[in-house]
Amino acid sequence: MSFTTGSLFHRESVELAALYLDLGDWNSIRDKVVAENLLQTRTLNTLKRVCREVISRLRTLSPGELEFLVEGSHQEQAYLLWLAVCRRYRFIADFAVEVLRERYLTLKSDLTHEDFDSFFNRKSEWHLELDEITPATRGKLRQVLFKMLREADLLTANNTIQAAMLSPRLLDLIHQGSRRDILHFPVFEFDVKGMKR
């Protein structure tokens, strides 16, 4: 549940991915980021926390995906970062498949706080550790998750689900990994076939 650290970290992720393509070693990148305050944070603790979080997400991407993250459009980058978050956090991946995508497929275009709360309650029946999360932390998790969805352009400001418009190149990259990764996006299977053309 450490995703409460922030958001998609779009700028920071692209910057660190570019560094990785140059240096090829996450430990060297961490040292360089901390030594030179490359993420321009106010405190060293924040810098270390954000750097650790961004690297943990970027590590889930393949070398081809990292290259695409650096050179893709802003929207494609956002989709890739959403995918990285889903790969990094099972809780978010499950939410993307079981709530976001399911609501989209059943033509329910809104996503409410109640949707998150009922998902959280269902998960806590199987993962007792979720019961230990305070209401304040639970609210923060919801707030950050909704913020990420907005930054990935999968949710509007008024909480309407937006279909993912994946480019053919991004779709190819996604399919080179796990074919299940497409399930993290609000998109119809029929539309995916059309996007590949």
Side-chain angles (χ1 to χ4, degrees), residues 66-83:
L66 286 168
E67 281 180 32
F68 191 68
L69 179 62
V70 172
E71 53 192 53
S73 71
H74 190 272
Q75 183 59 71
E76 291 168 326
Q77 291 170 339
Y79 289 152
L80 257 180
L81 293 174
W82 172 250
L83 182 59

Side-chain angles (χ1 to χ4, degrees), residues 134-161:
T134 66
T137 302
R138 184 175 167 159
K140 178 77 171 163
L141 291 169
R142 182 180 60 212
Q143 175 191 358
V144 170
L145 178 52
F146 275 59
K147 183 178 181 187
M148 286 180 188
L149 284 164
R150 285 187 196 100
E151 290 175 352
D153 210 21
L154 298 173
L155 196 64
T156 65
N158 65 352
N159 294 340
T160 301
I161 299 168

Side-chain angles (χ1 to χ4, degrees), residues 119-142:
F119 170 79
F120 191 96
N121 292 337
R122 282 195 315 274
K123 287 294 172 189
S124 65
E125 291 173 12
W126 297 95
H127 301 279
L128 300 178
E129 65 276 12
L130 291 178
D131 285 335
E132 297 168 18
I133 291 177
T134 66
T137 302
R138 184 175 167 159
K140 178 77 171 163
L141 291 169
R142 182 180 60 212

Side-chain angles (χ1 to χ4, degrees), residues 7-126:
S7 57
L8 271 192
F9 292 119
H10 195 129
R11 177 188 60 82
E12 297 87 345
S13 297
V14 173
E15 203 171 310
L16 266 57
L19 262 180
Y20 181 77
L21 295 177
D22 284 344
L23 302 175
D25 175 59
W26 292 115
N27 292 330
S28 301
I29 291 166
R30 185 180 304 112
D31 295 344
K32 184 175 177 64
V33 166
V34 171
E36 300 175 25
N37 189 14
L38 292 179
L39 301 181
Q40 301 165 359
T41 62
R42 278 178 282 200
T43 69
L44 182 60
N45 280 343
T46 301
L47 178 64
K48 287 180 177 177
R49 193 169 59 247
V50 170
C51 182
R52 184 172 49 246
E53 182 62 29
V54 170
I55 287 175
S56 76
R57 296 174 188 184
L58 292 178
R59 282 178 180 263
T60 70
L61 299 176
S62 70
E65 289 168 335
L66 286 168
E67 281 180 32
F68 191 68
L69 179 62
V70 172
E71 53 192 53
S73 71
H74 190 272
Q75 183 59 71
E76 291 168 326
Q77 291 170 339
Y79 289 152
L80 257 180
L81 293 174
W82 172 250
L83 182 59
V85 165
C86 289
R87 287 177 180 169
R88 172 73 177 89
Y89 295 105
R90 173 89 187 270
F91 180 86
I92 295 179
D94 288 351
F95 183 85
V97 174
E98 296 170 26
V99 182
L100 178 71
R101 181 177 165 85
E102 193 55 37
R103 287 191 70 74
Y104 179 76
L105 292 178
T106 57
L107 305 178
K108 296 177 181 127
S109 62
D110 64 323
L111 188 67
T112 67
H113 288 183
E114 290 76 25
D115 295 322
F116 175 90
D117 293 341
S118 71
F119 170 79
F120 191 96
N121 292 337
R122 282 195 315 274
K123 287 294 172 189
S124 65
E125 291 173 12
W126 297 95

